[in-house]
Amino acid sequence: VDYVQANSDVKIIYPIEELTAAKEDMQVYLKTDTHWNEAGAYIGTQALYSLMGMPTTDINDVNHYEKEFTEGDLIRMGNLNPEDFPPDTNFEVEYKMDVGVTELNGTDITQWLYQTSSTSENDCNFLIAGDSYRLFMTKYLNRDFSIFNQIHTDSVGEPEVEELAENADIIVIESVERFNHTLLNTLDHFIKYLEN
């Protein structure tokens, strides 16, 4: 990240400082799962907005409360009994609840392509391609852009993606370290789409 920031004009973010600071007040990652929780995703999304020059809102300035999370993927992958572990801590973050969101394509955010439109005043077509970390970001991103598209990077070669890329005002590629081996393939596809 430091090298890319120092040697290119690529906008890159790794919100480790923001997440580390936030964990002093609340849990930002799930203990029984390999993902951030909704508070962590909120903080990561706000860090993205900061990089993009958009207004940000501190998590302490929106309603949020703890909720239980059970049977994370570490428990399932380890074939462990969920009853042997205390419930994990997730959060419900009530972000821009006055913004209406309509699903355009799909009703399940885990589908390879998920699209919404919203009543956001930000008249912008936003596309994010990423791994499972993008899923907890959805409920924030789709309230801040009038058109929201998300795809899983495994599907970057699908025929529809070229048109999504061409029509997008903003493209974000999200990648967690364990999936960095897929990053070059994702970037290659988007470079080709945007060069056409």
Side-chain angles (χ1 to χ4, degrees):
V1 172
D2 292 342
Y3 181 86
V4 170
Q5 287 174 333
N7 295 279
S8 78
D9 59 359
V10 173
K11 292 184 177 180
I12 186 169
I13 185 169
Y14 181 58
I16 189 76
E17 291 178 13
E18 293 89 342
L19 290 163
T20 301
K23 79 174 189 172
E24 298 297 320
D25 299 322
M26 67 187 65
Q27 187 175 325
V28 295
Y29 273 80
L30 296 163
K31 294 179 181 179
T32 61
D33 195 279
T34 57
H35 298 86
W36 52 15
N37 63 21
E38 291 188 29
Y42 181 86
I43 289 155
T45 302
Q46 296 301 309
L48 171 64
Y49 291 169
S50 178
L51 177 76
M52 293 167 58
M54 289 177 56
T56 60
T57 307
D58 188 278
I59 193 166
N60 293 312
D61 294 331
V62 296
N63 290 333
H64 64 281
Y65 53 89
E66 288 186 14
K67 65 180 182 180
E68 214 171 80
F69 181 88
T70 56
E71 201 172 337
D73 63 5
L74 290 171
I75 292 174
R76 289 192 304 277
M77 286 188 288
N79 199 27
L80 303 171
N81 183 353
E83 295 175 5
D84 293 340
F85 298 87
D88 212 338
T89 302
N90 198 358
F91 285 86
E92 185 67 34
V93 181
E94 296 178 345
Y95 181 68
K96 295 192 178 178
M97 303 306 286
D98 58 323
V99 174
V101 176
T102 303
E103 292 173 324
L104 300 175
N105 185 334
T107 57
D108 180 358
I109 64 171
T110 63
Q111 292 174 198
W112 80 267
L113 171 61
Y114 179 77
Q115 298 172 295
T116 64
S117 66
S118 79
T119 59
S120 170
E121 293 180 1
N122 186 357
D123 186 21
C124 191
N125 188 326
F126 182 93
L127 169 63
I128 183 169
D131 50 54
S132 55
Y133 266 59
R134 80 195 190 288
L135 300 178
F136 274 2
M137 299 171 76
T138 299
K139 64 186 286 185
Y140 315 123
L141 292 169
N142 69 5
R143 293 179 184 277
D144 278 316
F145 301 96
S146 58
I147 300 294
F148 170 76
N149 307 280
Q150 75 168 8
I151 62 168
H152 194 284
T153 49
D154 287 349
S155 305
V156 74
E158 294 290 333
E160 298 96 323
V161 177
E162 182 169 4
E163 185 177 350
L164 290 173
E166 289 171 353
N167 292 331
D169 298 308
I170 298 171
I171 298 173
V172 171
I173 298 172
E174 175 271 322
S175 182
V176 177
E177 293 94 333
R178 66 183 181 213
F179 292 119
N180 276 351
H181 64 281
T182 67
L183 190 55
L184 290 178
N185 179 54
T186 302
L187 291 171
D188 283 345
H189 273 87
F190 277 101
I191 289 168
K192 288 174 188 170
Y193 294 152
L194 298 174
E195 284 180 340
N196 289 341

